[in-house]
């Protein structure tokens, strides 16, 4: 349903000339030096033919260096890194590799829309644990209660799309302890690792007992604002990475050769790049959150990601899907009903997600339209 609603909403945005705060892609490309590195790689014939299955060595080394630089992790670039066609392929390949039909996969809902689809493709069974407003904290008792003898793994996402929640060290430690106690694997989607505005990003793999049981996923799409390049990666123990690579080999085999060289250069950018990315997004978060509150939404200010979740009950509305379908005509703005990210659609019925990874003037325009359209 998620993908369907994105297509419907994006088509509506075009048809009505709406400001599209639906899908999470930046409206400004990433650093010119990284784009130039991709162009130079193509012209120099680097990566124009099939790159190595695990990814080009330059990128694997850059990913390992990134894990060391930001998290103090020792990652072997030859055996513990796999480059994928975006985080999306990494999620699919990891789930297909690590679950058997009938295995239960626990995931916190609302979830990124590929999770349910990939769990289904693997023939596994998804078991949702619901994150609830106002702060969308993980309910550790509910998590414990969801674990059964059929549970194979926990599929984690922090910073979390769509709620913007950033799981704390204490919460992640409790989740890690449960994984160790019940001998579960963890697949953790950390594509928003550099977009944390309050608190800190803690990779669960850094916690005790997790090194051999965690598959960590990230992507250049968000960190370098090149979502169309689809360069993602997996890190983990050699055994887990080999399992994921075995599946990936028959999904895409390889992809994005020249972009891989460019992303390697991106990962080596100085701290000032990462700080600016974060600072710019934080300002946009604040701009959109303050404006939405002024327009009458109840706003759950996110600690991370590209997204803010709001509640439309405060506007006297109840049905987020109907609201989002009418918003382009009413106000000339596109948003996404959060119900599509829940199994329990009731839980997200009145929640609506807006993306703030857009130029400030675009956000201002959307807010002007919302204030006018909803008055
Ligand atoms: C939580 C989450 N995981 C994965 C992805 C996809 O990443 P990629 O574009 O690298 O496939 C997204 C993109 O929106 C996301 O929000």
């Amino acid at each position: 349903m998620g993908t369907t609603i994105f297509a419907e909403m994006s088509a509506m945005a075009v048809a009505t000339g709406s400001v599209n705060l639906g899908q999470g892609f930046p409206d400004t490309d990433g650093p010119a030096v990284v784009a130039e590195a991709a162009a130079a790689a193509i012209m120099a014939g680097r990566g124009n033919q099939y790159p190595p299955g695990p990814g080009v060595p330059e990128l694997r080394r850059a990913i390992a260096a990134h894990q060391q630089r930001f998290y103090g992790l020792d990652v072997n670039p030859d055996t513990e890194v796999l480059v994928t066609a975006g985080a999306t392929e990494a999620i699919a390949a990891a789930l297909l590799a690590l679950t058997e039909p009938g295995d239960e996969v626990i995931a916190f809902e609302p979830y990124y829309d590929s999770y349910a689809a990939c769990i289904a493709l693997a023939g596994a069974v998804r078991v949702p644990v619901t994150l609830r407003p106002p702060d969308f904290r993980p309910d550790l008792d509910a998590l414990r209660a969801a674990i059964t003898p059929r549970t194979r793994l926990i599929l984690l996402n922090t910073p979390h799309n769509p709620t913007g929640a950033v799981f704390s060290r204490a919460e992640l430690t409790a989740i890690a302890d449960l994984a160790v106690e019940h001998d579960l694997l963890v697949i953790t989607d950390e594509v928003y690792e550099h977009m944390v505005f309050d608190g800190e990003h803690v990779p669960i793999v850094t916690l005790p007992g997790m090194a051999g049981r965690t598959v960590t996923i990230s992507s250049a799409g968000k960190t370098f604002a090149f979502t169309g390049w689809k360069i993602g990666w997996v890190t983990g123990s050699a055994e887990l990475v080999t399992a994921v690579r075995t599946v990936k080999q028959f999904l895409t085999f390889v992809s994005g050769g020249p972009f891989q060289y460019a992303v390697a250069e991106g990962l080596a950018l100085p701290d000032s790049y990462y700080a600016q990315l974060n600072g710019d997004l934080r300002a946009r978060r604040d701009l959109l959150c303050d404006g939405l509150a002024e327009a009458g939404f109840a706003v759950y200010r996110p600690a991370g990601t590209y997204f803010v979740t709001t509640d439309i009950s405060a506007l006297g509305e109840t049905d987020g899907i109907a609201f989002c379908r009418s918003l382009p005509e009413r106000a000339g703005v596109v948003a996404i009903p959060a119900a599509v990210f829940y199994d329990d659609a009731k839980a997200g019925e009145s929640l609506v997600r807006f993306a703030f990874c857009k130029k400030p003037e675009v956000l201002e325009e959307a807010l002007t339209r919302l204030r006018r359209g909803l008055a």
Side-chain angles (χ1 to χ4, degrees):
M1 168 117 192
T3 309
T4 321
I5 201 101
F6 287 129
E8 179 188 334
M9 291 297 163
S10 287
M12 232 191 240
V14 173
T16 56
S18 289
V19 179
N20 190 349
L21 303 187
Q23 215 175 348
F25 61 88
D27 60 357
T28 309
D29 285 348
V33 288
V34 179
E36 280 157 11
I42 290 174
M43 295 316 292
R46 298 172 85 211
N48 290 335
Q49 308 305 328
Y50 298 130
V56 303
E58 286 82 348
L59 178 54
R60 282 184 279 122
R61 284 198 294 268
I63 292 165
H66 171 277
Q67 296 306 89
Q68 175 61 243
R69 169 180 167 192
F70 288 98
Y71 310 120
L73 286 165
D74 265 325
V75 172
N76 182 329
D78 294 325
T79 57
E80 298 180 331
V81 179
L82 171 67
V83 177
T84 55
T88 305
E89 187 196 34
I91 293 159
L95 284 165
L96 288 164
L98 301 175
T99 62
E100 297 293 333
D103 282 353
E104 292 175 2
V105 173
I106 298 178
F108 291 97
E109 68 166 356
Y111 27 57
Y112 176 57
D113 63 343
S114 85
Y115 294 179
C118 290
I119 293 168
L121 278 175
V125 177
R126 71 180 184 279
V127 176
V129 172
T130 306
L131 303 173
R132 298 181 191 282
D135 48 14
F136 302 105
R137 299 322 316 166
D139 178 340
L140 299 168
D141 293 331
L143 175 60
R144 189 187 317 274
I147 297 172
T148 76
R150 294 306 316 252
T151 307
R152 171 72 170 150
L153 62 85
I154 300 173
L155 175 53
L156 205 66
N157 170 217
T158 181
H160 182 262
N161 173 13
T163 68
V166 176
F167 289 12
S168 70
R169 182 176 291 275
E171 288 162 345
L172 290 165
T173 301
I175 295 169
D177 289 348
L178 282 172
V180 171
E181 184 186 331
H182 295 275
D183 195 22
L184 307 178
L185 298 174
V186 172
I187 298 176
T188 175
D189 175 349
E190 304 185 0
V191 299
Y192 298 102
E193 61 186 320
H194 291 292
M195 285 133 206
V196 174
F197 319 120
D198 307 311
E200 58 170 339
H201 173 63
V202 178
I204 195 166
V205 71
T206 60
L207 300 176
M210 294 309 292
R213 63 177 74 250
T214 306
V215 171
T216 303
I217 292 170
S218 195
S219 167
K222 313 292 171 179
T223 301
F224 300 107
F226 287 116
T227 57
W229 290 9
K230 295 298 279 191
I231 301 295
W233 52 86
V234 167
T235 52
S237 69
E239 193 187 344
L240 289 172
V241 167
T242 300
V244 180
R245 193 177 69 231
T246 306
V247 172
K248 185 233 154 48
Q249 191 168 342
F250 299 110
L251 293 176
T252 58
F253 175 41
V254 291
S255 61
F259 296 126
Q260 294 191 26
Y261 291 100
V263 170
E265 297 199 19
L267 286 167
L269 287 172
D271 290 352
S272 56
Y273 169 72
Y274 293 90
Q276 184 169 356
L277 169 79
N278 189 292
D280 285 353
L281 260 177
R282 174 199 301 266
R284 290 163 202 217
R285 171 197 68 169
D286 292 340
L287 171 64
L288 186 62
C289 288
D290 293 348
L292 288 171
E294 237 174 82
F297 293 83
V299 174
Y300 303 119
R301 191 174 294 252
T305 75
Y306 277 175
F307 305 107
V308 52
T309 294
T310 62
D311 195 318
I312 56 172
S313 311
L315 291 162
E317 305 266 351
T318 49
D319 179 346
I321 294 177
F323 178 82
C324 288
R325 285 205 165 113
S326 73
L327 202 57
E329 289 293 346
R330 266 170 92 181
V333 173
V334 163
I336 297 291
V340 302
F341 303 116
Y342 284 86
D343 280 358
D344 174 6
K346 252 317 194 218
E349 196 177 19
S350 61
L351 302 180
V352 170
R353 187 193 81 173
F354 292 86
F356 51 80
C357 50
K358 308 291 177 186
K359 294 186 189 84
E361 57 271 29
V362 171
L363 298 175
E364 296 275 16
E365 174 63 22
L367 290 169
T368 303
R369 291 178 179 206
L370 284 169
R371 273 189 298 264
R372 205 170 42 219
L374 299 175

